[in-house]
Amino acid sequence: MVEELGRRKVNNGDVYVLRFYNRLDEAKKGEIACATAGEARGWIEAFDHAKQQAEYELSKGGSARDKLNMEAEINLEGHRPRVRRYARGLRKLIRIGQGPETLLRQSSKLAVRPDAFEGDSGDALEAHKWKCVLTTAGIRIFEDVSDRKNGKGVLAKSVGVIDATADTVFEVILNTDQRQRYEWDILMCDLELVESYDGHYDVVYGTYDPKYLSRWHSKQDFVFSRQWFRGQDGAYTILQFPAIHKKKPQRSGYRRAKINPSAWEIRNLNTPMGLNSPRCLVTHTLEVDSSSWHQWKKSQCSKFERTVPYALLSQVAGLKEYITANPILHQEYATTIVHPKSSDGSISSGEYEDEVQDEFYDAIAAESSSSDEESDDDDDKNYEKGPRVKLKNVSWAITTLALKRTAAPVLSEELDPHVTPVTINPSDLRGSLHEGKDDNDTNCWTSPSGKGFMIRGKNYLKDNSKVVGGDPLLRLIAVDWFTVEQSVDKIALHPRCLVQSEAGKKLPFILVINLQVPAKPNYSLVLYFAADRPVNKDSLLAKFVNGSDAFRDSRFKLIPSIVEGYWMVKRAVGTKACLLGKAVTCKYFRQDNFLEIDVDIGSSSVARGVIGLVLGYVTNIVVDLAILIEAKEEEELPEYILGTVRLNRLKPETAVPLEV
């Protein structure tokens, strides 16, 4: 397992730290410090690629048994030559079979995907309705004109395309170096790091002289917190909140200013074929006082242009010009993204790199061949001489498989069509959290339709098209809301669990999702999804239910959506699908008529940070969750939704203690 520990201050410099460990024996662990966010991401992808390749080769009885010793341990111990050997070995593993150098030799068959310039749409339908109200200095400024209340003011955002990688822009935004910030930031240029917590959260103190905005104001200081994380699609989110810190009281002669809560979102854009310059889409969202906003929008010449919110919106423009004026920033990590064509000239079936998708497996080679140590060495030499090619999250598991063009699965065939459905009586199956009667009910659950979610359509492998979800396959029958001293696995075996009730034992199949929430106290939110017929042994669901943990990790997907709630929480949670087995530790327990999935949210520092923010607003939040098995091959499409749940304004104090 590899986990991002975030930024850490070492010898007055920032490094990005990764932790790797054996899930079965966490005493076997180590850390890697990387100079940049991009380098850290490269290591994660290298480990992921090597792991995918090894799992695939081992499952096929291939040559990976000769290349990998399953019991060998990584032992860094500060030995730099050994570290370099590991790095070379990882790079070699990435290119077992068909790798980047093979695709280069097929340059005549390369093409750009038709959707290479799509926006940043998510996998759940967004409640915001953005309208462009101004274009200036190469950026667009939007206003949310939806009827929904996002807070006390108006929600606005500035959006711009910057010629640099998301990694580079992320580092520039977080950097507190005065010399650098003086070149692009008119507001937050005098910053001082007060305290850093877990690698993904810190508190910053700053001062500014408002004479650049208005000469009649006194000097001001401010304190704000920053929380950041990188999504599975490579996009960065930075949340900024006004804060108070005991180490930084108000400075004498200064007026304490309250910085507007804001959110940065930085997402890589695909580059047109033939261009070697990376690009990313940068969005800065914040809440603005409604009276000054409407006055400025009407005349575009008011005192608003001399306010802190306007200075915040202008940061994207400053960032864009600063990076444009410093070529090293948009050339340092320049890469070429390639996509193979099939022999008939069309883009081959597979999952391609896409800034708007939830991919782990984005490119496949056109054909496959075996590779031995000698050819690897030759490829290393060619690789060093040729241009650098980046293939993000390659799915080696399907590079040698011919995708069969078959009819899309019939949803009813996921369950055994030859068995008479049983009647599920909700009154016999109750959890500790009650089912809501309507949308006005609170501290309850309901099961919405799948119409609020976008899932992979029948032609996804050809055109990346997604469709609106349908009704869930499984029925949500109950929800338990427990407090526990420590995280509890195999909760379905607990006597209080409905799986152990007489009614529960009579059900053909139950999927138990145990979301383990780290807090004080810890919580377990347990979702029970039931089928009225046994699982069809030839279905994708059967492969998941009875498959290996590695297969389950690569397919178990969740789509979140904050339907109602504070807009900053919406930005933190997002609407992108997440492969939970890749983001956090998931444990699977198959027995009798059920499969239990224990999702340890606390196993990821990023997930802990996000869930901590959500818990702070949970009594005012309505959240929808959809659970799926990710479809990766043509015969598995279109995707379908396994189950959904809507959690309506939960009250933590009503959680029931569970004694183990």
Side-chain angles (χ1 to χ4, degrees), residues 299-310:
S299 63
Q300 291 189 5
C301 183
S302 69
K303 294 180 180 179
F304 178 73
E305 294 185 1
R306 297 182 177 275
T307 63
V308 168
Y310 186 80

Side-chain angles (χ1 to χ4, degrees), residues 143-159:
E143 173 190 1
D144 181 15
V145 295
S146 65
D147 295 330
R148 293 179 178 271
K149 295 292 184 181
N150 297 298
K152 298 179 180 179
V154 173
L155 207 57
K157 69 178 182 179
S158 55
V159 181

Side-chain angles (χ1 to χ4, degrees), residues 504-531:
K505 292 178 180 179
K506 294 178 181 179
L507 293 175
F509 175 71
I510 304 175
L511 176 63
V512 182
I513 309 294
N514 177 19
L515 299 175
Q516 300 169 342
V517 182
K520 294 182 179 180
N522 294 307
Y523 297 97
S524 268
L525 182 69
V526 190
L527 313 175
Y528 303 92
F529 298 95

Side-chain angles (χ1 to χ4, degrees), residues 121-142:
S121 57
D123 296 304
L125 300 183
E126 186 90 48
H128 298 297
K129 189 176 181 180
W130 294 105
K131 180 182 178 181
C132 183
V133 297
L134 179 67
T135 57
T136 178
I139 65 170
R140 294 171 294 161
I141 296 180
F142 292 81

Side-chain angles (χ1 to χ4, degrees), residues 274-292:
L275 297 181
N276 198 37
S277 176
R279 306 182 312 148
C280 65
L281 186 71
V282 180
T283 303
H284 195 192
T285 308
L286 65 148
E287 193 175 324
V288 181
D289 177 70
S290 58
S291 60
S292 61

Side-chain angles (χ1 to χ4, degrees), residues 214-232:
S214 173
R215 60 182 178 179
W216 304 111
H217 291 168
S218 61
K219 292 182 178 180
Q220 299 185 29
D221 66 352
F222 51 85
V223 179
F224 65 96
S225 64
R226 305 185 299 183
Q227 182 178 356
W228 60 86
F229 43 89
R230 184 174 66 87
Q232 291 182 342

Side-chain angles (χ1 to χ4, degrees), residues 366-386:
E367 56 187 40
S368 176
S369 65
S370 60
S371 172
D372 56 22
E373 288 292 335
E374 182 176 341
S375 62
D376 276 340
D377 292 337
D378 293 337
D379 286 336
D380 277 346
K381 298 174 183 178
N382 295 331
Y383 182 79
E384 296 296 335
K385 296 177 182 179

Side-chain angles (χ1 to χ4, degrees), residues 412-544:
S412 59
E413 293 182 358
E414 290 294 290
L415 303 178
D416 194 334
H418 304 296
V419 176
T420 303
V422 302
T423 300
I424 300 177
N425 188 352
S427 61
D428 297 335
L429 303 159
R430 294 185 181 276
S432 59
L433 190 67
H434 78 277
E435 182 177 3
K437 299 177 181 178
D438 53 45
D439 290 341
N440 296 321
D441 206 353
T442 61
N443 195 39
C444 62
W445 64 269
T446 57
S447 182
S449 72
K451 293 181 179 180
F453 303 95
M454 301 297 294
I455 60 177
R456 297 181 175 186
K458 183 178 180 180
N459 297 320
Y460 180 82
L461 296 182
K462 301 174 185 176
D463 56 16
N464 284 291
S465 61
K466 291 193 175 184
V467 297
V468 175
D471 291 331
L473 175 69
L474 305 181
R475 178 177 176 179
L476 181 62
I477 56 174
V479 176
D480 273 325
W481 182 221
F482 293 133
T483 59
V484 292
E485 290 295 326
Q486 295 180 339
S487 296
V488 178
D489 295 333
K490 300 182 179 179
I491 204 165
L493 298 181
H494 195 280
R496 291 185 58 179
C497 179
L498 69 79
V499 176
Q500 299 302 318
S501 66
E502 289 301 317
K505 292 178 180 179
K506 294 178 181 179
L507 293 175
F509 175 71
I510 304 175
L511 176 63
V512 182
I513 309 294
N514 177 19
L515 299 175
Q516 300 169 342
V517 182
K520 294 182 179 180
N522 294 307
Y523 297 97
S524 268
L525 182 69
V526 190
L527 313 175
Y528 303 92
F529 298 95
D532 58 4
R533 287 169 291 160
V535 177
N536 187 344
K537 63 180 182 179
D538 297 323
S539 66
L540 177 60
L541 179 57
K543 294 179 184 178
F544 180 82

